[in-house]
Amino acid sequence: PRLTLVGMPVLTARWVLPDPDQAWPGGGVWIEAGRIRGTAKDAAGVRRLARRAGARVRDLGDAVLTAGLVNAHSHLELHALAGRVSAGGGFGAWIARLLEVRATCRDDVLSAGARKGADRMLATGTTTVGDIDSLGLTLAALRGHPLRVRAYRELLDARDPARTKAAVAGLSRMPRGSSRRLPGLAPHAPFTVSEDLLAAAARVARTSKLPVTIHWAETAAEVAWMREGSGPLSALLQGSPRTSGLTLFERHGLLGPSTSLVHGNLPGRGEPGRIAATGATVVHCPGCHAFFDREPFPLARYRRAGVPLALGTDSAASNGDVDLRREMALLRSTHPGLAPKEVWRMATIGSAHALGLGRHVGRIATGMRADLALFERNARSLRDLLDGLTASMPPVRGTWVDGRPSTAPDVSAS
């Protein structure tokens, strides 16, 4: 049965996993006013915490209580298109078909899909998402929904001066944020955004202290057009900058600890080190990578350079699901040498950092938001716990956002 809680007792379970580096057998968490007020590492500590809180203890049983998973990259507005656009013919053909199919969908269909995608995330252990909102409908669609959302406004002018002015003007109308609805900026990609628009986005990001996310180095076609003006994109775009996307980001001051670069499948020589020097994060989406049957992701290059790493799902239109458990399992299958604790770190602390929320979500600690997930998992050690959580997709018994039980009813992957 699904977990149902009334009131906010001190929660305890067979295991509490506060972060990838430690596990507390019989530990506990005290929640008050949406935040974690205190923690305990064992049963005796739980009893002391309950006396301090003046609250009862609720034992969640033979399970593991963790921080909620954090999805660093998604497109909830495309959830209604799941299974409707094949990857055949390559990425460019997929984009063209996607836009055609999306144009046939009414806004209410797309909105319902976004809400269904958000339900699916909660049901699979994700409590926070970084979402790209290109149509301006996702936040309205999720009104009242418990999922915590960093809503990145997409910026795109296709390097067309006639579109740049309107795109820049739109930056003056950024929505106000709240604790569960947080704004951000998403210049789409270096080949679809003019330098004027990149510069404007950088100014607004600095003055308003907004995080930025950008699709980068996703395909060979992008890299070839950016550097040489050649390849299939040359028939669609003019005015190649004849340099790398990363160089453009550096030129306009877009790289920093509050920037995430999504995909990064084809970094140039020395680029991982340049990214690491700025503190920017690279977001990998294993399911999307598999959907397009891409060459192996250069994870080792990024790790050697010390680049912060995060996990995302991308959209259900370019993936089989929006389930971060599946992303972790896919990552482990394609990079078997990667330690389970590093996979868990990418799906929690790393993704929270990518969204500019590292002080609020992604781990269990006093003062953090009480965003939690409860997984069915019987284990004997920290290593065993992390191995199962990142490889076996254990069932989710419940999630909390701001300390409130929030798991939606079971929903299918579609």
Side-chain angles (χ1 to χ4, degrees), residues 78-84 112-113 116-117 120 316-317 319-322 411-414:
L78 300 179
H79 198 83
L81 278 59
R84 297 182 61 181
K116 186 174 182 180
R120 177 64 181 167
N319 196 342
D321 205 344
V322 289
V411 291
S412 68
S414 61

Side-chain angles (χ1 to χ4, degrees), residues 137-207:
L137 57 78
T138 303
L139 287 182
L142 297 185
R143 186 172 291 118
H145 198 280
L147 187 69
R148 193 180 306 279
V149 181
R150 170 71 77 183
Y152 291 100
R153 174 182 288 182
E154 186 170 75
L155 307 173
L156 190 156
D157 61 3
R159 293 179 163 267
D160 178 356
R163 297 172 60 180
T164 303
K165 185 176 181 180
V168 171
L171 287 169
S172 65
R173 299 186 295 274
M174 291 297 295
R176 291 186 177 182
S178 64
S179 65
R180 286 193 292 117
R181 297 292 181 265
L182 302 133
L185 294 176
H188 176 260
F191 67 99
T192 56
V193 177
S194 68
E195 290 204 50
D196 286 346
L197 186 51
L198 283 177
R203 287 194 300 271
V204 172
R206 284 193 299 270
T207 57

